[in-house]
Amino acid sequence: MDADINFYFDPVCPFAWMTSKWVRLVQEQRDYTVDWRFISLRLVNSEVDYDAQFPPEYEAGHTAGLRLLRVAARARSEHGREAMAGLYAAFGAHIFDAAPDPDSQYTEGEVRERRGTRAFVEPILADAGLPLELAEALEDESWDPEIRRETDEALALTGKDVGTPIIHFEPPNGVAFFGPVISRLPRGESAAELWDHVVGLARFPGFAELKRSLREQPQLAALGVDVETVGQQEDWHGGSRRQKR
């Protein structure tokens, strides 16, 4: 598929979801085509000791993301690349745009682990207009090499010390970059204006990095942050919530 933008996402990454919502706004204003591709945080961190380096709920969350990408890979194989826009939108709506159940008895780790189950993914498939049988791919590791190849493809564009999402504009020879990491969704024409600034900076020869590790929690219902609220600031040292580098 020849697209204006290749967008590499892990469905359980809140910052990838925020950036994807912004890219969809830009897409509407600029009539860009987007190919929604895969990058797995679980595979990126496959050599990492989660117990030593991440908060306790992260391994369950990243593993669930890989399981959901298996479903996405099968959906793409059987229903075409055009199915990815709706499926990723449904992932994000269920994971991040729904407020948490105040009566839930699940721990944060259990909430994240549940995202990799049939009970969670089948309503998502239904919302995306896809067959529920695709949920059988959750435990099918035969999709992992394809997800690994696409993950490696994304990291080859930016280097390895990054997270999600990765964006490749005007592939194969255009600019690629991690992020941008945003916590608030631009409104109106400011969405395209921000896009122009980001791409303009990325196109400057020799440009490598503009960064700060302090991040606001993104304005997502699942995190309890609405569009009128500024999320609590956290230090994402090393580009992630890793406790050590």
Side-chain angles (χ1 to χ4, degrees):
M1 175 181 178
D2 294 326
D4 299 302
I5 299 169
N6 289 341
F7 189 105
Y8 296 85
F9 72 93
D10 187 306
V12 299
C13 176
F15 291 102
W17 176 239
M18 280 295 294
T19 302
S20 77
K21 293 170 78 168
W22 164 60
V23 165
R24 289 176 196 264
L25 294 176
V26 174
Q27 186 180 12
E28 292 173 1
Q29 295 178 30
R30 296 292 173 82
D31 199 29
Y32 290 147
T33 55
V34 179
D35 187 18
W36 303 97
R37 299 190 177 198
F38 311 144
I39 178 171
S40 167
L41 289 168
R42 189 64 185 84
L43 296 181
V44 167
N45 294 292
S46 59
E47 304 301 321
V48 171
D49 182 344
Y50 271 84
D51 290 338
Q53 299 201 32
F54 279 106
E57 67 275 9
Y58 265 56
E59 184 171 14
H62 288 178
T63 300
L66 175 58
R67 290 165 66 84
L68 293 177
L69 286 175
R70 292 170 183 163
V71 174
R74 179 175 170 183
R76 186 171 68 182
S77 175
E78 297 182 7
H79 299 275
R81 305 187 82 90
E82 59 274 13
M84 291 301 95
L87 181 56
Y88 185 27
F91 280 148
H94 280 254
I95 295 172
F96 298 116
D97 288 345
D101 180 359
D103 298 321
S104 173
Q105 302 300 310
Y106 292 121
T107 66
E108 179 61 27
E110 289 169 340
V111 167
R112 296 187 185 212
E113 184 175 16
R114 184 178 178 275
R115 292 170 182 164
T117 66
R118 290 192 69 133
F120 185 80
V121 79
E122 286 184 348
I124 292 173
L125 291 168
D127 284 355
L130 293 168
L132 302 189
E133 66 189 32
L134 294 175
E136 296 169 4
L138 285 166
E139 300 180 25
D140 187 351
E141 295 181 3
S142 69
W143 296 105
D144 291 4
E146 179 178 345
I147 298 166
R148 167 66 78 179
R149 283 194 299 273
E150 219 145 276
T151 296
D152 291 344
E153 174 185 293
L155 295 178
L157 295 167
T158 61
K160 296 182 178 180
D161 189 21
V162 297
T164 58
I166 289 173
I167 292 175
H168 192 184
F169 181 49
E170 296 179 338
N173 298 317
V175 293
F177 44 87
F178 158 56
V181 174
I182 58 174
S183 295
R184 310 181 199 183
L185 195 62
R187 300 182 181 182
E189 294 181 358
S190 63
E193 181 181 3
L194 177 60
W195 176 263
D196 290 338
H197 290 319
V198 170
V199 171
L201 187 61
R203 280 177 169 162
F204 184 79
F207 174 76
E209 185 173 20
L210 176 68
K211 181 178 180 179
R212 58 185 177 192
S213 62
L214 293 177
R215 302 184 185 180
E216 299 170 3
Q217 284 190 314
Q219 293 175 329
L220 297 171
L223 302 181
V225 185
D226 61 40
V227 295
E228 303 301 329
T229 304
V230 176
Q232 180 180 347
Q233 205 169 70
E234 301 173 323
D235 192 349
W236 282 61
H237 48 85
S240 72
R241 295 303 293 158
R242 288 176 62 171
Q243 307 298 295
K244 299 178 182 179
R245 295 194 66 179

